Amino acid sequence: MRNNPYPLLLTPGPLTTAPETRAAMQRDFGSRDEAFIALTRRVRERLTTLARGADSHVSVPLQGSGTYAVEATLGTLLDRSRKTLVLVNGAYGKRIERLCRLIGAPTTIYETAEDVPPDPAELGQRLRADPSVADVILVHCETTSGILNPLESIASVVAAEGRGLIVDAMSSFGAIPIDLRRTPIDALIASSNKCLEAVPGLGFAVIRRARLEASAGKCHSLSLDLHAQWQGFETNGQWRFTPPTHVLAALDAALDGLDREGGVAGRFARYRENCQILIRGLGSLGARALLPETLQAPIIVTFRMPSDTAFQFEKFYAALGQRGYLIYPGKLTGVDSFRVGCIGHVHAADMAGFVDAARDVMRTLRIKSLAP
Ligand SMILES: *Cc1c(COP(=O)(O)O)cnc(C)c1O
């Protein structure tokens, strides 16, 4: 049993946060406070710098969860008179396709199976065959399965064909290196409560300044207009509408934690170790991950549903919950599965504790093996 009175969240977000991050929310800020204006400026700069985009990009935070930031970015940037090509291999890619259609952007998709990344060469052919495609949208880590899509090679194909690239980096930003100086991306979208390990309530996009400047007045929505949001920050440093003050303070503290850990490289190393302990540990109990190691991002692992008739996900979930660990149901369309996250303020000893708890639950529920 763990010491922490609250369950450890082995989920894709909200995540377990560090005590320092939660402590940062003890202070109230007024939205027009000098201190809050400075906090907003600091966090915006830190996000742009984290993506290595200080010379070319600006960051625009937005109230709400990650999907709000995705919808806002698409609504603000997409050209409704040209086509958008969405790379789909999971539920988040599908959601982006739906958002594109909702905002009235002509949309086409290049879909692969949930355990297959898009092929950059095939994408290049599709782009050459269809000059009306203005933008490509990629989900970096498709959290549905945990697959890591090939951002760098997709980005170079898209740039070579002279199109724009928008990346949903929701579940990778902060843990998997992204360098806007080397990787041509017009907009990178993420949120506070995944690999940045802050609390939920804020999404943001890091957008190429020139593209954002050219997008004035295009958005269909008042509250989701990132050009207007950005203009607000640039003119008086303030948010246009009530800001998530405590969330921003927590994010600033969480970014301190990321720095202390050695930045993105340090966080990546910890998550990779978490992921290895998880896959080896549950593997020793028979469980099999959906993805081969080469495609697996160290973010969340999808396990095939065990075939032992004693295994019932609801019971397994509840018994793990009683022992202090919350896991996640599967989200694949084809294969029955469950998921376990590796991200958040979670360390090697926590993952080992989780594996022990799973072993104990198996004994209690008389599950012989987690083999599919
Ligand atoms: C979490 C996530 C989102 C946003 O989901 P919200 O529930 O709105 O925070 C978008 N894309 C990906 C890949 C995600 O993992």
Side-chain angles (χ1 to χ4, degrees):
M1 214 35 120
R2 299 173 58 249
N3 277 333
N4 191 327
Y6 305 111
L8 199 70
L9 305 178
L10 300 180
T11 64
L15 303 172
T16 296
T17 54
E20 297 82 3
T21 298
R22 296 192 299 276
M25 294 186 289
Q26 293 299 320
R27 166 168 183 189
D28 300 315
F29 285 97
S31 55
R32 285 153 209 273
D33 259 1
E34 276 307 327
F36 184 67
I37 289 173
L39 174 67
T40 299
R41 187 185 323 114
R42 183 164 66 247
V43 170
R44 287 187 58 222
E45 282 170 6
R46 293 182 90 171
L47 294 174
T48 319
T49 302
L50 195 57
R52 304 276 183 266
D55 296 334
S56 49
H57 289 62
V58 294
S59 76
V60 190
L62 179 76
Q63 301 90 331
S65 83
T67 305
Y68 292 67
V70 175
E71 186 163 358
T73 305
L74 303 182
T76 302
L77 297 183
L78 291 189
D79 184 342
R80 271 64 154 188
S81 67
R82 293 180 70 197
K83 247 187 248 168
T84 299
L85 187 153
V86 186
L87 298 166
V88 177
N89 59 353
Y92 291 100
K94 279 235 154 55
R95 185 182 294 173
I96 287 172
E97 179 197 0
R98 177 144 183 254
L99 285 171
C100 289
R101 296 194 193 283
L102 270 172
I103 65 172
T107 304
T108 177
I109 65 170
Y110 165 23
E111 183 166 13
T112 51
E114 285 165 323
D115 55 352
V116 176
D119 173 15
E122 160 89 26
L123 174 65
Q125 281 169 15
R126 288 183 186 228
L127 291 178
R128 280 188 292 281
D130 192 349
S132 69
V133 171
D135 287 299
V136 173
I137 308 183
L138 173 74
V139 179
H140 188 199
C141 169
E142 185 36 278
T143 323
T144 315
S145 62
I147 196 171
L148 186 66
N149 284 319
L151 172 61
E152 273 76 25
S153 43
I154 295 284
S156 42
V157 165
V158 172
E161 297 304 327
R163 322 299 166 92
L165 179 64
I166 296 173
V167 178
D168 172 349
M170 207 69 66
S171 63
S172 60
F173 189 67
I176 297 178
I178 299 176
D179 187 337
L180 291 173
R181 293 169 309 185
R182 289 193 296 111
T183 311
I185 299 172
D186 279 354
L188 193 69
I189 312 162
S191 72
S192 53
N193 66 282
K194 292 196 177 175
C195 300
L196 297 179
E197 298 189 359
V199 300
L202 185 151
F204 59 89
V206 182
I207 307 176
R208 194 186 297 285
R209 176 189 272 273
R211 177 132 188 202
L212 188 57
E213 276 166 353
S215 71
K218 274 207 291 195
C219 194
H220 62 292
S221 158
L222 177 71
S223 53
L224 299 179
D225 185 341
L226 292 189
H227 181 274
Q229 184 91 341
W230 173 57
Q231 283 301 297
F233 293 132
E234 294 291 308
T235 49
N236 61 10
Q238 295 176 14
W239 296 62
R240 288 181 301 155
F241 311 120
T242 302
T245 46
H246 299 76
V247 178
L248 202 71
L251 180 54
D252 193 41
L255 289 167
D256 291 341
L258 181 61
D259 285 347
R260 280 196 301 275
E261 191 168 14
V264 175
R267 184 146 299 177
F268 178 83
R270 175 163 58 87
Y271 287 177
R272 189 180 46 193
E273 186 181 21
N274 287 349
C275 186
Q276 283 167 351
I277 294 169
L278 171 66
I279 291 178
R280 286 202 196 120
L282 282 202
S284 74
L285 306 175
R288 288 294 165 262
L290 173 82
L291 297 169
E293 226 176 291
T294 48
L295 296 178
Q296 175 72 60
I299 303 294
I300 188 164
V301 180
T302 297
F303 292 98
R304 295 175 183 278
M305 201 56 98
S307 60
D308 191 322
T309 49
F311 184 93
Q312 284 176 288
F313 178 75
E314 304 306 331
K315 286 190 179 159
F316 188 66
Y317 175 92
L320 281 170
Q322 279 167 4
R323 287 160 178 79
Y325 301 91
L326 293 188
I327 62 168
Y328 224 56
K331 200 175 180 166
L332 298 177
T333 50
V335 192
D336 245 3
S337 60
F338 67 89
R339 290 180 291 173
V340 184
C342 319
I343 61 179
H345 192 67
V346 171
H347 298 80
D350 299 311
M351 293 319 272
F354 167 73
V355 173
D356 289 342
R359 192 179 295 112
D360 188 46
V361 165
M362 286 171 70
R363 211 166 10 238
T364 312
L365 299 181
R366 300 181 193 290
I367 300 164
K368 285 190 200 67
S369 166
L370 296 180

